[in-house]
């Protein structure tokens, strides 16, 4: 069996606001193996980014808190780690690429200095010259000429900025890379360039990756396995082939039907009726039941557990034929 | 021709900048038939939104002519142009910033009706507002809700209702679904198509999403740095793309199917070049995997390659470059 790198069990995350408790993540469990790319798909508000921030322990202080479950990285619990230990995990072990390269870079620092900063903080034994050599190397790796390292973020295009962000993330050879919508802000041809580079780097450096996106096309192109999120839970998990070729959960099927298909022209799309539930007022039972066309009586009462078939897991009552009578 | 509702002839829009002249829209000619949808595709900065805004004269064209129902609307004085806008409307990209947050849903939809004096009494106005709300699928109980209480899809429906309320013949949809989630995107695309059938509307549908544009358009025009590089029927574009840029765009689409992973992708070099003071010649040449010396120096125009399939690639036109 392959080695487990990241294991999350029954994670629950809440945000406390003045008037409500927002349940962003509700009993989420997932496993990421070493060297694997796991895609986390879901729509706005599904809890994808909250998941990433929980792993990194970067939830907004006071408002966001983890109320249950555990996160283990390489056998060690991240939830019990001290702030100091977490600081060395971040960057060294787990690095993150954020969605918007325009806002995740410091506008008043040259890109060379921003990459160097990362190396200085994490490998204190390196002298200035070694750091500078490493910066040149990293820029080379992401396809930016080293001669541009004295330039500022505004002098670069969106695609180039995202390359800088990737260079920073890779600076300390992390074991796990969390990429939160890394190409959403980019044009298609630039997206193709960046994805190709990420794929190439991943194989070369043997990095594991958690790829968070709402774009099913990106997932199909990049990932080994897929977790579909809805209202803070993973409702379906499997290999890319299992998810795209034989989706099981009505939500996953609905998502795939809602995308205009390039191959066969159908006149009408089949949208999923209704909206994502308000995370402050989650429905009782399965959180998808108000939008589900196959909703049964039990769905309104009981939250489904996972139905497991050769690693293809789906949280839906439809697959427990016996439970309908109970 | 009688059936043509909108025609652009050599439309240009240049913006002066401190570094030179920015050619946002450079010599574009095209026409749209009544009841049809023209998809306008291209990457950020290629001038697709500028075309839309220039047609409605939200910005004034530098040169060229715009004909609407056979009438040249380029030199109508601004003061009189307001009445033309009743026939031509705009649906904006971002439903979060294009709607006044301080007006309720019904006030927002009533605004264009009041401005254009389309209701003779208060009760008629209310009736019309409810009529358009129903048309776009907004529940009447939302009439007094404010935009912040609604999700992106419903907000976009307000934008659509506002555009429809003056009974236009022609609507420019500028990326109307790109800010929305896929399940909501499908609802809005269906609505836009249903309305076209019901009201015989003509659309220019501006987008960067090729799957969406194929789904919704009859004809597609591909833009690169202010110019058209290819134009043909929607199906034809996907079956027989001619311009190297179109081919690269199509190859960059990621299909939601793991089988497409083995497909050979054509990756473009470099990034979009600057539209400021462009040099003559094919503007795509610097990134093109097939460019030769002949592509630089002289400017080329769209040529019909048969069956209304137009391309501007000189190597394709000359027959030098063939795809299998």
């Amino acid at each position: 069996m392959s080695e487990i790198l990241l294991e999350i069990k029954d994670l629950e995350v809440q945000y406390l606001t003045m008037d409500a408790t927002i349940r962003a993540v509700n009993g989420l469990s997932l496993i990421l193996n070493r060297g694997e790319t796991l895609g986390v798909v879901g729509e706005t508000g599904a809890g994808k980014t909250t998941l990433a921030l929980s792993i990194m322990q970067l939830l907004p202080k006071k408002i966001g808190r983890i109320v249950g479950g555990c996160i283990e990285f390489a056998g060690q619990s991240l939830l019990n780690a001290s702030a100091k230990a977490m600081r060395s995990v971040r960057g060294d072990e787990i690095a993150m690429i954020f969605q918007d390269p325009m806002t995740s870079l410091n506008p008043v620092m040259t890109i060379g200095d921003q990459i160097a900063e990362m190396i200085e903080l994490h490998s204190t034994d390196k002298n200035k010259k070694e750091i500078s050599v490493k910066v040149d190397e990293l820029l080379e790796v992401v396809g930016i000429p080293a001669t541009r390292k004295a330039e500022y973020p505004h002098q670069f295009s969106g695609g180039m900025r995202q390359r800088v962000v990737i260079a920073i993330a890779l600076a300390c050879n992390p074991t796990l890379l969390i990429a939160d919508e890394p190409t959403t802000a980019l044009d298609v041809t630039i997206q193709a360039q960046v994805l190709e580079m990420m794929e190439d780097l991943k194989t070369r450096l043997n990095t594991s990756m958690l790829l968070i996106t709402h774009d099913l096309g990106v997932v199909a192109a990049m990932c080994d396995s897929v977790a579909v999120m809805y209202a803070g839970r993973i409702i379906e998990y499997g290999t890319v082939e299992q998810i795209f070729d034989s989706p099981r959960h009505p939500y996953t099927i609905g998502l795939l039907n809602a995308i205009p298909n390039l191959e066969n022209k159908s006149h009408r799309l089949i949208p999923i009726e209704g909206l994502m539930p308000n995370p402050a007022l989650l429905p009782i039972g399965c959180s998808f039941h108000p939008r589900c066309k196959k909703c049964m009586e039990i769905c309104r009462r009981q939250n489904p557990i996972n139905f497991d078939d050769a690693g293809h897991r789906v949280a839906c009552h439809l697959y427990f034929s016996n439970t309908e009578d109970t | 021709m009688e059936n043509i509702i909108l025609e652009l002839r050599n439309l240009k829009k240049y913006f002066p900048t401190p570094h030179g002249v920015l050619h946002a829209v450079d010599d574009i000619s095209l026409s749209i038939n009544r009841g049809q949808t023209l998809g306008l595709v291209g990457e950020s900065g290629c001038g697709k939104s500028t075309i839309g805004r220039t047609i409605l004269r939200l910005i004034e064209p530098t040169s060229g002519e715009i004909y609407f129902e056979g009438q040249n609307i380029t030199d109508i004085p601004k003061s009189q142009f307001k009445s033309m806008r009743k026939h031509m409307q705009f649906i904006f990209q971002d439903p979060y910033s294009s709607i006044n947050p301080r007006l309720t849903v019904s006030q927002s939809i009533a605004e264009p009706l009041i401005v254009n004096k389309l209701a003779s009494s208060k009760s008629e106005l209310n009736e019309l507002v409810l009529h358009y709300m129903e048309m776009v699928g907004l529940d009447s109980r939302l009439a007094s809700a404010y935009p912040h209480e609604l999700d992106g899809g419903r907000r976009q429906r307000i934008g659509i209702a506002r555009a429809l309320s003056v009974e236009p013949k022609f609507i420019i949809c500028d990326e109307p679904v790109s800010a929305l989630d896929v399940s909501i995107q499908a609802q809005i695309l269906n609505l836009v198509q249903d309305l076209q059938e019901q009201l015989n509307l003509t659309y220019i549908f501006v987008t960067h999403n090729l799957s969406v544009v194929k789904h919704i358009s009859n004809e597609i025009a591909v833009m690169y740095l202010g110019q058209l590089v290819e134009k043909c029927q929607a199906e034809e574009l996907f079956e027989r793309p001619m311009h190297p840029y179109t081919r690269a765009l199509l190859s960059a689409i990621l299909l939601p199917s793991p089988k497409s992973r083995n497909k050979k992708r054509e990756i473009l070099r470099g990034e979009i070049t600057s539209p400021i003071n462009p040099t003559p010649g094919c503007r795509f040449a610097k990134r093109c995997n097939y460019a030769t010396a002949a592509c630089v120096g002289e400017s080329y125009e769209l040529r019909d390659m048969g069956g209304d399939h137009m391309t501007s690639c000189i190597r394709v036109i000359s027959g030098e470059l063939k795809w299998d």
Side-chain angles (χ1 to χ4, degrees), chain A residues 15-49:
Chain A
Y15 292 109
L16 302 175
T17 68
M18 298 276 263
D19 21 60
T21 305
I22 314 279
R23 290 158 59 199
V25 174
N26 305 294
L28 175 145
S29 304
L30 66 82
I31 284 173
L32 174 72
N33 292 319
R34 218 175 263 275
E36 184 192 30
T37 299
L38 171 67
V40 176
V41 240
E43 295 180 279
T44 317
K48 309 185 295 287
T49 300

Side-chain angles (χ1 to χ4, degrees), chain A residues 21-319:
Chain A
T21 305
I22 314 279
R23 290 158 59 199
V25 174
N26 305 294
L28 175 145
S29 304
L30 66 82
I31 284 173
L32 174 72
N33 292 319
R34 218 175 263 275
E36 184 192 30
T37 299
L38 171 67
V40 176
V41 240
E43 295 180 279
T44 317
K48 309 185 295 287
T49 300
T50 303
L51 169 67
L53 296 178
S54 310
I55 300 170
M56 295 293 270
Q57 304 273 296
L58 286 174
L59 287 170
K61 274 189 196 125
K62 289 184 186 155
I63 305 164
R65 54 170 199 189
I66 295 172
V67 291
C70 60
I71 302 176
E72 274 185 17
F73 175 74
Q76 287 190 321
S77 165
L78 292 184
L79 296 186
N80 304 329
S82 66
K84 192 166 171 241
M86 251 341 273
R87 258 205 302 280
S88 69
V89 169
R90 278 185 222 122
D92 261 343
E93 303 284 336
I94 311 179
M96 190 155 169
I97 302 172
F98 295 91
Q99 172 171 0
D100 187 358
M102 321 278 167
T103 52
S104 54
L105 289 172
N106 184 341
V108 293
M109 226 172 140
T110 66
I111 58 141
D113 284 349
Q114 294 190 54
I115 301 171
E117 187 183 36
M118 181 79 169
I119 307 165
E120 274 165 39
L121 286 173
H122 289 278
S123 17
T124 36
D125 53 327
K126 281 201 168 75
N127 65 33
K128 271 215 165 107
K129 194 151 182 226
E130 283 167 330
I131 291 175
S132 157
V133 171
K134 177 84 181 157
V135 169
D136 292 1
E137 254 176 51
L138 282 164
L139 284 173
E140 194 77 18
V141 166
V142 296
I144 296 176
T147 46
R148 295 192 68 182
K149 70 175 171 182
E151 292 181 20
Y152 291 88
H154 76 266
Q155 291 167 289
F156 292 85
S157 64
M160 290 293 236
R161 276 181 234 181
Q162 198 57 298
R163 286 166 191 266
V164 174
V165 174
I166 293 172
I168 296 174
L170 293 176
C172 300
N173 290 333
T175 358
L176 172 64
L177 191 61
I178 302 179
D180 188 2
E181 307 261 12
T183 56
T184 307
L186 308 177
D187 274 319
V188 273
T189 59
I190 308 299
Q191 164 171 295
Q193 288 175 358
V194 171
L195 290 180
E196 191 200 40
M197 186 192 81
M198 283 172 68
E199 183 106 56
D200 175 51
L201 290 176
K202 207 186 73 93
T203 26
R204 256 203 283 165
L205 308 172
N206 194 29
T207 318
S208 315
M209 187 152 74
L210 192 69
L211 179 66
I212 296 174
T213 179
H214 67 274
D215 188 330
L216 292 159
V218 171
V219 173
M222 297 285 288
C223 299
D224 304 310
S225 43
V226 188
V228 184
M229 269 189 97
Y230 189 80
R233 284 191 81 197
I234 287 172
I235 50 109
E236 186 162 2
Y237 171 89
T239 62
V240 262
E241 287 81 14
Q242 286 169 336
I243 299 290
F244 286 97
D245 297 341
S246 52
R248 290 212 166 126
H249 198 285
Y251 176 65
T252 316
I253 298 171
L255 267 189
L256 288 167
N257 278 339
I259 329 173
N261 190 330
L262 274 183
E263 274 150 357
N264 47 26
K265 180 155 181 151
S266 56
H267 180 62
R268 280 184 74 82
L269 299 169
I270 311 160
I272 305 175
E273 296 303 327
L275 302 168
M276 191 76 113
N278 179 347
L281 300 162
L282 285 179
I284 299 164
C286 171
S287 35
F288 186 62
H289 87 252
R291 300 174 76 183
C292 186
K293 283 194 181 119
K294 296 187 170 163
C295 177
M296 303 178 293
E297 217 278 303
I298 187 171
C299 306
R300 291 178 231 272
R301 282 186 283 116
Q302 201 180 321
N303 210 346
I305 52 164
N306 275 322
F307 174 80
D308 194 327
D309 174 17
H312 188 172
R313 288 197 287 276
V314 54
C316 180
H317 287 298
L318 279 177
Y319 298 92

Side-chain angles (χ1 to χ4, degrees), chain B residues 27-39:
Chain B
D27 209 356
I28 297 239
S29 302
L30 50 81
S31 61
I32 309 160
N33 288 341
R34 200 179 293 275
Q36 301 271 297
T37 301
L38 173 78

Side-chain angles (χ1 to χ4, degrees), chain B residues 3-16:
Chain B
N3 214 7
I4 291 177
I5 185 161
L6 181 89
E7 190 182 354
L8 308 181
R9 285 190 202 157
N10 307 94
L11 189 70
K12 288 182 188 171
K13 177 64 201 177
Y14 295 168
F15 294 102

Side-chain angles (χ1 to χ4, degrees), chain B residues 115-165:
Chain B
V115 169
N116 289 292
K117 301 188 177 68
L118 292 173
S120 52
S121 66
K122 228 175 177 162
S123 60
E124 195 191 340
L125 182 68
N126 277 334
E127 236 166 77
L128 279 171
V129 167
L130 287 173
H131 167 71
Y132 287 111
M133 283 181 70
E134 194 194 326
M135 195 180 254
V136 298
L138 281 170
D139 204 335
S140 57
R141 74 186 156 84
L142 295 173
S144 50
Y146 284 92
H148 75 264
E149 299 171 64
L150 307 176
D151 66 284
R154 290 219 179 92
R155 271 185 242 194
Q156 196 56 288
R157 287 176 198 266
I158 303 176
I160 298 173
R162 276 169 62 93
L164 289 178
S165 65

